[in-house]
Amino acid sequence: MTVHSTDKTIFTQRESEARSYCRGFDTVFTSAQGSELTDAEGNTYIDFLAGCSSLNYGHNDPDMKEALINHLLENKMGHALDLHTDSKGEFLRTFEEHILAPRGMDHKLMFVGPTGANAVEAAMKIARKATGRTNIIAFTNGFHGVTMGALSATGNGYHRGGAGMDTQGVTRMPYDAYAEGVDSVALLDQMLSDASGGIDAPAAIMLETVQGEGGLNAASPEFIQGVEKVARKHGALFIIDDIQAGCGRTGTFFSFEEMGVMPDIVTQAKSISGFGLPMALVLVRPDYDVFGPAEHNGTFRGNTHAFVTATVAIKKFWADDAFQRELAVKSDVLREGLAAVADLVPGAFLKGRGLMQGVDVGTGELASAICGRCFEKGLVIETSGNEDQVVKVLAPLTTPMDQFRKGLQILRDATTEVMAGRTRIAAE
């Protein structure tokens, strides 16, 4: 019988100070199923973090687990570099049939190292090679990863400071509604059109349709369409980073599906494996598939086990529109639940889109207090934003409705208690 220790000494003694999520959720987790986590003391928690949107289909989906176990028991390939394998072939056929073809996409799939940052690195390199230009335009509050190339496109000063050297090659422009009264698209076009605008001709313009780590800033379709037009006008590739917002998180498989655009490059990671296994990929239109063999490579490009679970995920959730219809209903429930939370905090307001929504409560200190109280009451939920002021819901998309509502009620109760405590302190 396995004995689970509740002693956390080993973590503080031997794990790097770079650890982060465990600081807010200070327990030893031992198991997980669906949208529920269990710790070594037997406490259960509703999961509204979902591996930062890496577990959109919940923990240990039984169908994916069965397929993976069978793959292992049959001594199928465990590691294959980028060799042809039956599991990769099945994934490619499934992705083409259920994802690309129905959306009229001719993109090719490039398997890269298993992190989202590596996908972003590859996308930026492709754009530079395809155009012969070096500059990339990214946006305020964007978060694209913390490796050197991706970090240059990331706006967060704390993470950029971790580089220890200059991050170059990117021009940052204001995101949609970043500056009050400023038409960000018109400004971008004007500066690129002006020979003295000071912006080098870009290889690509890259953005997230919803800025997850940046605070759930959701761009309007008009902004996304405008940026694509500017990219076309000025000879730049149009890149959408769909690493956190994709795989159903905003209500459709790709976050840009209902915006009337077609990106040249799309980056995916997080939930693309379906099971929380590491995998990332780049979707690139054939005209820009410019890398030679192994020009962007990595020992772990294309996780064979992840191909197995990803294939099941796509067939199970995206072969028809039933799952997408469920997400639309759940999105409305989330919006209503968060509106009730916002009503408890003066000046608070909702942000985000689909199942990627949250409440801006004004300060990181208050948001952290609310999330801390949630954890005490059995809910795992985190913050985001330039000052961590947004309480962000990233529940598994498959969360049963009663459990989903229960989690939202815990969030509401926790907010009520935190605000009541502040009122008492102020009165004293």
Side-chain angles (χ1 to χ4, degrees):
M1 183 178 71
T2 301
V3 177
H4 299 294
S5 173
T6 59
D7 184 5
K8 299 184 286 290
T9 305
I10 190 63
F11 303 112
T12 56
Q13 283 183 341
R14 292 299 178 192
E15 191 175 7
S16 164
E17 291 301 315
R19 64 190 187 280
S20 61
Y21 288 105
C22 55
R23 297 177 186 272
F25 310 113
D26 191 19
T27 190
V28 179
F29 293 104
T30 57
S31 62
Q33 182 64 52
S35 299
E36 191 170 84
L37 304 168
T38 303
D39 69 11
E41 296 180 333
N43 301 308
T44 60
Y45 303 84
I46 296 174
D47 186 3
F48 270 20
L49 179 59
C52 199
S53 204
S54 295
L55 293 158
N56 282 2
Y57 312 109
H59 297 268
N60 288 304
D61 175 89
D63 297 310
M64 297 182 213
K65 181 167 61 176
E66 181 181 12
L68 180 58
I69 289 172
N70 289 337
H71 180 90
L72 296 171
L73 291 176
E74 294 169 10
N75 290 326
K76 294 279 192 173
M77 300 291 288
H79 179 270
L81 295 171
D82 65 353
L83 296 171
H84 297 321
T85 65
D86 54 354
S87 56
K88 183 200 285 187
E90 182 63 16
F91 170 74
L92 287 168
R93 284 187 288 271
T94 301
F95 199 83
E96 179 177 32
E97 177 183 356
H98 297 302
I99 303 300
L100 297 179
R103 294 161 179 81
M105 298 174 69
D106 62 355
H107 296 64
K108 299 180 78 171
L109 272 65
M110 175 182 171
F111 299 105
V112 297
T115 67
N118 196 278
V120 170
E121 296 272 357
M124 295 170 73
K125 287 168 61 177
I126 289 170
R128 286 168 170 148
K129 182 172 184 179
T131 63
R133 300 172 177 178
T134 59
N135 189 33
I136 304 285
I137 291 176
F139 292 89
T140 51
N141 284 311
F143 188 93
H144 301 283
V146 295
T147 51
M148 290 303 294
L151 188 61
S152 66
T154 292
N156 185 279
Y158 173 79
H159 289 99
R160 289 170 63 81
M165 62 181 289
D166 291 340
T167 50
Q168 302 174 339
V170 170
T171 299
R172 204 165 323 279
M173 294 297 291
Y175 192 70
D176 193 18
Y178 176 78
E180 187 175 353
V182 174
D183 184 331
S184 298
V185 172
L187 176 63
L188 173 61
D189 185 33
Q190 182 178 353
M191 293 183 72
L192 287 174
S193 300
D194 184 350
S196 293
I199 300 180
D200 294 334
I205 304 177
M206 180 169 65
L207 55 78
E208 306 154 274
T209 65
V210 182
Q211 296 181 320
E213 299 307 300
L216 298 180
N217 306 307
S220 67
E222 293 76 19
F223 174 80
I224 302 298
Q225 292 167 12
V227 171
E228 183 189 41
K229 289 177 182 176
V230 170
R232 307 286 180 231
K233 176 180 177 181
H234 295 281
L237 272 61
F238 181 47
I239 302 174
I240 288 185
D241 180 342
D242 227 23
I243 290 167
Q244 187 169 142
C247 297
R249 178 54 60 182
T250 59
T252 51
F253 186 83
F254 295 112
S255 69
F256 53 84
E257 285 185 34
E258 298 175 343
M259 293 194 165
V261 298
M262 183 59 71
D264 299 304
I265 299 176
V266 182
T267 59
Q268 290 200 297
K270 290 193 182 290
S271 278
I272 189 61
S273 78
F275 201 67
L277 297 174
M279 183 166 81
L281 56 83
V282 174
L283 279 63
V284 56
R285 304 202 75 169
D287 287 350
Y288 306 117
D289 186 25
V290 295
F291 280 152
E295 193 168 0
H296 184 94
N297 65 13
T299 305
F300 296 100
R301 61 192 186 276
N303 182 336
T304 302
H305 296 151
F307 289 146
V308 174
T309 55
T311 298
V312 174
I314 292 169
K315 289 180 177 179
K316 181 173 182 176
F317 296 104
W318 299 103
D320 57 36
D321 65 352
F323 183 60
Q324 186 169 313
R325 292 199 306 271
E326 291 176 12
L327 298 184
V329 174
K330 203 166 287 183
S331 174
D332 290 339
V333 171
L334 177 57
R335 188 178 303 108
E336 293 170 4
L338 291 178
V341 173
D343 287 343
L344 300 170
V345 183
F349 57 96
L350 271 57
K351 301 187 74 176
R353 178 162 63 91
L355 274 295
M356 192 176 182
Q357 297 186 60
V359 180
D360 188 319
V361 297
T363 69
E365 188 271 332
L366 177 55
S368 294
I370 291 171
C371 290
R373 185 65 184 129
C374 282
F375 183 60
E376 294 172 0
K377 297 173 74 66
L379 177 68
V380 172
I381 188 170
E382 255 288 5
T383 64
S384 74
N386 59 325
E387 296 180 355
D388 293 322
Q389 76 277 22
V390 179
V391 177
K392 177 168 109 175
V393 175
L394 290 178
L397 308 180
T398 53
T399 305
M401 189 62 80
D402 59 343
Q403 194 172 43
F404 192 55
R405 292 183 184 277
K406 181 179 178 182
L408 291 172
Q409 186 61 52
I410 291 174
L411 174 57
R412 183 175 179 178
D413 292 344
T415 304
T416 298
E417 292 172 14
V418 169
M419 295 305 295
R422 288 167 179 255
T423 300
R424 285 195 302 270
I425 292 172
E428 294 171 358

